[in-house]
Amino acid sequence: MSKKRIAIFASGTGSNAVNLIRYFENNSAIEVAFVLSNKSDAKVLTSAKSLDVETVFLSNEEVAKGDVLISLCEEFEVDWIVLAGYLRLIPKELIAVFENKIINLHPALLPNYGGKGMFGRNVHLAVLENKEAETGITIHFVNQEFDKGEIIAQFRCAVADEDTAEDVETKIHSLEQENLPLVIEKTILKT
Ligand code: GRF
């Protein structure tokens, strides 16, 4: 049986993208087809290249066009798309073609702290502002509404009174590193 091929979309550092690339490097069922970024200078592009993964840069105008992304995914024979720190809206045409095949990682416990403006540090600052005792990550399918697709899995961590946004971010990153590849693998193998 041929391997299932994943595209990873990322806008920034790409620690999750790198973790996924490493995890699936010698996997018998799943492989990373390419990494897409909408930022030409995103660290994720150089990191992916150094791990011998194909990379594509497309401008914000281009990633807003469903047909551009659909052709790209066809060209790379992609079966699944993982959004790992990707900060642009996914065009509805792509969602229609990849129904229940696009997975997003969100650094909070949705439905809380999701939607417009809730990305990166903003999320952790809002969590601290509200004196939450816990936060976590959500791995979910992508539908037409930002951060509102069906939840696949959530993982939690405690927030201490003295935690800074950086502390929360560190906890979130370790939850992501530990859990994202396993959840992606399980979800893909289930279909
Ligand atoms: C992660 O915390 C992810 O949950 C969020 O953006 C961050 C991306 O980090 N959507 P990285 O680029 O994978 O290092």
Side-chain angles (χ1 to χ4, degrees):
M1 211 181 67
S2 65
K3 289 188 188 185
K4 295 289 179 202
R5 289 169 60 78
I6 309 177
I8 302 174
F9 292 8
S11 300
T13 312
S15 56
N16 283 290
V18 165
N19 192 33
L20 287 168
I21 292 168
R22 293 222 169 96
Y23 185 85
F24 290 117
E25 231 160 30
N26 298 306
N27 193 289
S28 58
I30 297 165
E31 65 188 353
V32 174
F34 74 102
V35 170
L36 168 79
S37 185
N38 60 309
K39 290 256 163 65
S40 58
D41 58 351
K43 186 167 167 219
V44 67
L45 292 175
T46 40
S47 304
K49 268 187 211 139
S50 71
L51 292 167
D52 288 329
V53 171
E54 299 255 18
T55 60
V56 176
F57 157 69
L58 291 178
S59 67
N60 286 342
E61 290 70 41
E62 286 170 309
V63 295
K65 294 178 189 153
D67 55 336
V68 170
L69 294 182
I70 291 168
S71 319
L72 188 67
C73 288
E74 274 171 8
E75 184 193 322
F76 279 94
E77 300 181 343
V78 162
D79 303 291
W80 289 79
I81 299 170
V82 178
L83 312 180
Y86 183 68
L87 299 178
R88 306 302 296 181
L89 204 61
I90 298 296
K92 58 179 186 321
E93 297 85 353
L94 189 71
I95 297 174
V97 172
F98 283 86
E99 203 188 339
N100 286 331
K101 294 272 173 67
I102 306 180
I103 298 173
N104 183 44
L105 167 67
H106 187 77
L109 296 170
L110 293 175
N112 297 331
Y113 305 102
K116 221 173 154 48
M118 281 294 132
F119 59 88
R121 277 283 163 86
N122 296 352
V123 177
H124 311 317
L125 287 168
V127 163
L128 290 175
E129 176 93 14
N130 289 331
K131 304 203 181 315
E132 298 285 1
E134 63 170 15
T135 185
I137 62 169
T138 303
I139 299 164
H140 66 96
F141 289 114
V142 171
N143 67 11
Q144 312 273 354
E145 273 184 286
F146 228 40
D147 293 337
K148 287 201 178 149
E150 187 196 332
I151 292 175
I152 302 168
Q154 291 187 309
F155 301 90
R156 294 160 189 274
C157 61
V159 181
D161 287 345
E162 64 277 14
D163 276 353
T164 62
E166 264 170 33
D167 297 329
V168 176
E169 190 168 59
T170 305
K171 291 179 186 179
I172 292 293
H173 275 151
S174 44
L175 280 183
E176 292 176 342
Q177 296 286 310
E178 199 182 319
N179 296 294
L180 182 65
L182 293 166
V183 171
I184 300 289
E185 184 176 34
K186 246 170 87 179
T187 306
I188 293 178
L189 295 184
K190 240 182 14 202
T191 54

